[in-house]
Amino acid sequence: MTISEKSAYLKGLMDGLKLSTETDEGKMIAAIVDLLGDLTRKVTDIEDTTIAISDELDEIEEDLDAIEDFIMDEDEDDYEDEEDFDWDDEDEEFEEGFDFGDEDTTIYEVQCVCGEVINFDEETLEEGSIICPNCGETLEFDVEEDEE
């Protein structure tokens, strides 16, 4: 029997016994039954919230696993020795964003003049700007499609 069922049973039992709520004892029992009903609703709400949070955490864990797999596999295949890659070569082509897992969301990365690296999504890109959380500088984006 769940807490809700037990609370309803006690309420029904009180009604079935036809306890007078005009006596001191009846008033006290009615107040206790009402309090139990209120507590039952609160506990049920907390349980529902806990289940929802748990489900969200499971989804976040799956997304993080996909991100980890993506990051770990990205450079291992292309550059076996880090010395072979010229990190200062500005002609090197980089992807505009990264697509993690099966999600439709593309994550973009930009570095502020203060050195802060900021990640943002397609929606923020379409807005045209973002404020650096580190220095408060407004970074503006000019989105143009390549025709190639």
Side-chain angles (χ1 to χ4, degrees):
M1 194 181 273
T2 66
I3 294 174
S4 299
E5 293 169 338
K6 288 179 182 180
S7 176
Y9 173 76
L10 288 175
K11 176 82 170 154
L13 189 61
M14 186 184 92
D15 292 341
L17 291 174
K18 297 181 183 175
L19 293 175
S20 172
T21 56
E22 300 197 12
T23 65
D24 291 339
E25 294 84 9
K27 288 179 185 178
M28 186 171 87
I29 292 172
I32 291 171
V33 169
D34 286 341
L35 175 65
L36 288 174
D38 292 343
L39 289 173
T40 298
R41 284 187 288 283
K42 288 286 187 185
V43 168
T44 302
D45 289 345
I46 291 171
E47 286 175 341
D48 292 344
T49 302
T50 303
I51 290 169
I53 290 171
S54 177
D55 291 344
E56 287 292 324
L57 285 175
D58 289 343
E59 288 180 26
I60 290 170
E61 181 180 16
E62 290 173 10
D63 291 344
L64 287 175
D65 287 342
I67 291 170
E68 180 182 19
D69 291 343
F70 179 80
I71 290 172
M72 297 302 275
D73 291 339
E74 181 180 295
D75 287 331
E76 287 178 9
D77 296 335
D78 295 337
Y79 308 103
E80 290 185 23
D81 188 1
E82 223 178 73
E83 294 173 8
D84 293 339
F85 183 71
D86 184 5
W87 291 99
D88 296 323
D89 187 3
E90 293 181 21
D91 294 333
E92 186 72 26
E93 286 188 30
F94 291 97
E95 290 185 28
E96 206 172 302
F98 300 102
D99 189 13
F100 297 114
D102 296 331
E103 298 293 321
D104 292 336
T105 304
T106 301
I107 304 297
Y108 297 92
E109 182 178 282
V110 66
Q111 186 170 7
C112 181
V113 292
C114 70
E116 180 77 12
V117 176
I118 305 167
N119 295 317
F120 55 94
D121 60 7
E122 191 80 31
E123 185 177 318
T124 304
L125 181 66
E126 290 172 3
E127 290 174 9
S129 67
I130 190 170
I131 296 175
C132 177
N134 189 35
C135 69
E137 179 77 22
T138 300
L139 305 173
E140 295 183 2
F141 312 116
D142 184 20
V143 182
E144 293 180 12
E145 293 286 327
D146 284 339
E147 293 183 20
E148 294 179 31

